[in-house]
Amino acid sequence: MEAQMINSSLALKTFIDDLPDCKGAEPSLYIDLEGNNLSRNGTLSLITILVEPRHIVRLVDVTGLGKDAFEIAGSDKRTLRQILEAPEIVKVFFDIRNNSDAVFALFDVRAEGIEDVQLMELALRSSPKRYMNSLAKCIQRDSTLSFTDKHEWKAGKERGERLFDPNLDGGYAVFDERPLSTDIKK
């Protein structure tokens, strides 16, 4: 799936117009936020949204759009803020904690209707529950991906980590650079 950047008012309006209704028990929005020190004390740079079952990935450029990323409405008056705050629209995150902190503190968005895969994994785990598992650990241990797909996912994740992980001589400011690195888009 090729991720496409949404970095203009028109592109965001079109994306919102093309979203399905999204209401119901079956989640259709899988979301991740990225930023430089993603928290109330950092920045929110990108919102990655996977729309299922359409298999499309969009990157909302919060660095470029600023607060408009949450205020631009589609033809039906829906905004990204309304979608994130709607309890009747299920949104899936992996570890909502910093995501929720950042979007609330920086943009006054109160995320509701969240299913946190990290918490689900913890609740269903039969082994000791002392620590929360990372996404990489969950994919390694629990994913039904083929060996080849897991290997490709891991290689892509490692390429991205080299760009943003300070322990690997990267930096989270990479999420604010434009144009966005191809490796970050993947």
Side-chain angles (χ1 to χ4, degrees):
M1 278 179 268
E2 178 81 22
Q4 293 182 1
M5 184 72 99
I6 296 174
N7 56 9
S8 71
S9 299
L10 179 59
L12 183 56
K13 180 184 177 310
T14 301
F15 171 66
I16 291 171
D17 282 343
D18 290 344
L19 280 176
D21 178 37
C22 301
K23 293 180 184 172
E26 282 293 316
S28 59
L29 300 176
Y30 297 77
I31 302 174
D32 187 36
L33 280 56
E34 299 292 351
N36 191 351
N37 185 28
L38 182 67
S39 68
R40 69 185 59 237
N41 301 313
T43 65
L44 171 54
S45 308
L46 290 173
I47 302 173
T48 304
I49 304 173
L50 165 65
V51 182
E52 288 291 1
R54 296 182 181 171
H55 305 298
I56 62 169
V57 178
R58 298 296 180 261
L59 304 172
V60 179
D61 182 7
V62 180
T63 297
L65 293 168
K67 67 177 179 54
D68 287 346
F70 302 97
E71 305 305 329
I72 293 170
S75 301
D76 62 358
K77 307 294 185 223
R78 284 189 303 176
T79 65
L80 196 50
R81 170 187 302 280
Q82 290 169 332
I83 292 166
L84 289 170
E85 291 183 340
E88 68 277 7
I89 298 175
V90 177
K91 281 94 43 195
V92 179
F93 283 78
F94 187 93
D95 190 2
I96 187 69
R97 294 173 295 176
N98 285 347
N99 293 254
S100 179
D101 181 48
V103 78
F104 175 73
L106 302 173
F107 296 98
D108 196 33
V109 174
R110 292 165 172 79
E112 291 192 48
I114 304 301
E115 289 187 0
D116 190 325
V117 176
Q118 187 180 46
L119 288 176
M120 290 180 198
E121 185 278 332
L122 180 68
L124 295 173
R125 187 186 319 152
S126 58
S127 60
K129 300 179 181 189
R130 185 172 176 178
Y131 301 104
M132 304 282 273
N133 282 333
S134 67
L135 179 59
K137 174 79 80 176
C138 290
I139 288 177
Q140 173 191 350
R141 292 176 56 190
D142 302 320
S143 172
T144 59
L145 291 173
S146 70
F147 173 82
T148 303
D149 288 343
K150 282 184 186 179
H151 182 74
E152 288 176 14
W153 180 86
K154 184 178 179 186
K157 179 151 181 65
E158 288 171 353
R159 279 192 306 274
E161 284 177 340
R162 284 192 294 275
L163 294 173
F164 68 77
D165 188 337
N167 297 322
L168 300 173
D169 295 327
Y172 288 102
V174 71
F175 293 114
D176 291 319
E177 294 173 3
R178 299 295 179 268
L180 194 62
S181 161
T182 302
D183 284 331
I184 291 294
K185 282 184 181 180
K186 291 182 180 180

